[in-house]
Amino acid sequence: MTEQAPLLRLENITRNFGAIEALRGVSFDIARGEVVALLGDNGAGKSTLVKIISGGLEATSGRMLFDGEEKKFNSPAEAKAAGIETVYQDLSLCTNVDVVANFFMGREIVKRYFGVPVLQEGAMYAAVEKALANAGTRIPSLRTNVEHLSGGQRQAIELNRFVHWGGKLVLLDEPFAALGVEQTRRGLDMIKRVARQGIGVVIITHIMAQAFQVADRMVVIRQGKVAGDVARDQTTPDEVIRMITGEATIGRAGEARAQA
Ligand SMILES: Nc1ncnc2c1ncn2[C@@H]1O[C@H](COP(=O)(O)OP(=O)(O)OP(=O)(O)O)[C@@H](O)[C@H]1O
Ligand SMILES: [Mg+2]
């Protein structure tokens, strides 16, 4: 692993479903601490790409380098072990236990007294309290069962847990589809805080305002290819819409090329 290498590099990723070419050679990098918005029309190939990165689908061809090393994840669990997590609204929280238990699921702090394992409730509670406070997330009580928390609070716990356990790249596929205005705003703030800790973020959204609010870079996928890859401060929502519809393409150099 080298510090100079991008966090994730995609090289010529393709994916066919029978005769359908869902991805036709997608290449781009994601840096540490960078938020990339993945944009594109319905069926462009965004979810397929995210699933390939997170081990849910195999690429037909192409290479993926994570932390400078060529990687191929055969399952979401393998990707997760390497530090790649996909967040949907409720993903993987256990709703019938409290916030602390969810945070430590499978990693409980246990001390042995005369050979008898004893759960270190106090230490676990303090660690979760600290992690959430650092991230600026407020949950009424860490003893609340997750079933009583809102979608946004669940996402916050999910993301913070991921950061706490050394996650490196988060993939969010339309994470705010079911959330209200205020929860969405908090979610976007949380993404920025997560990125400030050096974590790479990919967010799929159809809402241009969200992309411009949170992302450092816009990558537009059109018909399975990159139709635009541009820094947020070098483009506009109108231009991105034109990339989505195929009226314009824009490369890494930043120069727009109108299409005949
Ligand atoms: N499991 C599958 N089997 C067959 N075709 C698939 C499968 N998954 C995706 N596709 C096809 O691949 C293409 C890309 O789909 P994908 O779900 O990646 O699009 P998307 O950009 O996420 O769209 P949306 O914005 O609607 O979520 C589509 O033509 C879709 O029908
Ligand atoms: Mg999709």
Side-chain angles (χ1 to χ4, degrees), residues 8-16 23-28 49 52-53 57-66 69-74 224:
L8 183 79
R9 166 161 287 176
L10 302 173
E11 287 181 4
N12 252 323
I13 301 286
T14 73
R15 170 72 206 207
N16 301 339
L23 296 174
R24 298 187 293 152
V26 168
S27 305
F28 63 90
L49 186 61
I52 288 171
I53 298 170
L57 267 180
E58 206 180 326
T60 301
S61 67
R63 291 207 315 159
M64 186 167 100
L65 287 88
F66 185 61
E69 283 173 29
E70 186 163 357
K71 283 274 157 60
K72 190 168 160 192
F73 302 116
N74 294 309

Side-chain angles (χ1 to χ4, degrees), residues 6-9 28-32 34 36 169 200-202 217:
L7 177 59
L8 183 79
R9 166 161 287 176
F28 63 90
D29 290 353
I30 297 163
R32 288 173 182 75
E34 187 177 38
V36 171
L169 175 67
V201 180
V202 176
R217 226 170 95 222

Side-chain angles (χ1 to χ4, degrees), residues 4-183:
Q4 290 82 357
L7 177 59
L8 183 79
R9 166 161 287 176
L10 302 173
E11 287 181 4
N12 252 323
I13 301 286
T14 73
R15 170 72 206 207
N16 301 339
F17 294 104
I20 298 171
E21 295 178 290
L23 296 174
R24 298 187 293 152
V26 168
S27 305
F28 63 90
D29 290 353
I30 297 163
R32 288 173 182 75
E34 187 177 38
V35 182
V36 171
L38 199 55
L39 300 147
D41 226 333
N42 294 120
K46 306 177 298 294
S47 294
T48 301
L49 186 61
V50 158
K51 285 177 197 158
I52 288 171
I53 298 170
S54 65
L57 267 180
E58 206 180 326
T60 301
S61 67
R63 291 207 315 159
M64 186 167 100
L65 287 88
F66 185 61
D67 251 352
E69 283 173 29
E70 186 163 357
K71 283 274 157 60
K72 190 168 160 192
F73 302 116
N74 294 309
S75 68
E78 269 185 30
K80 192 170 178 157
I84 299 180
E85 175 110 2
T86 313
V87 176
Y88 303 96
Q89 173 141 10
D90 307 320
L91 193 67
S92 60
L93 299 177
C94 250
T95 52
N96 60 346
V97 298
D98 70 19
V99 177
V100 176
N102 265 286
F103 222 85
F104 276 90
M105 194 68 63
R107 292 164 163 134
E108 291 82 358
I109 304 177
V110 172
K111 267 194 186 164
R112 288 185 174 271
Y113 294 98
F114 306 108
V116 181
V118 178
L119 210 53
Q120 299 299 289
E121 291 277 1
M124 285 164 51
Y125 188 98
V128 176
E129 198 170 40
K130 190 167 167 229
L132 293 179
N134 283 348
T137 301
R138 271 187 285 133
I139 306 284
S141 162
L142 302 186
R143 291 298 175 202
T144 309
N145 279 2
V146 164
E147 64 192 325
H148 302 304
L149 297 178
S150 73
Q153 289 169 330
R154 292 178 197 199
Q155 281 179 351
I157 293 165
E158 182 78 33
L159 265 182
N160 287 311
R161 181 174 65 170
F162 169 77
V163 172
H164 186 76
W165 297 113
K168 293 174 182 171
L169 175 67
V170 193
L171 308 166
L172 304 116
D173 194 345
E174 302 192 45
F176 307 125
L179 297 190
V181 174
E182 175 59 17
Q183 293 220 320

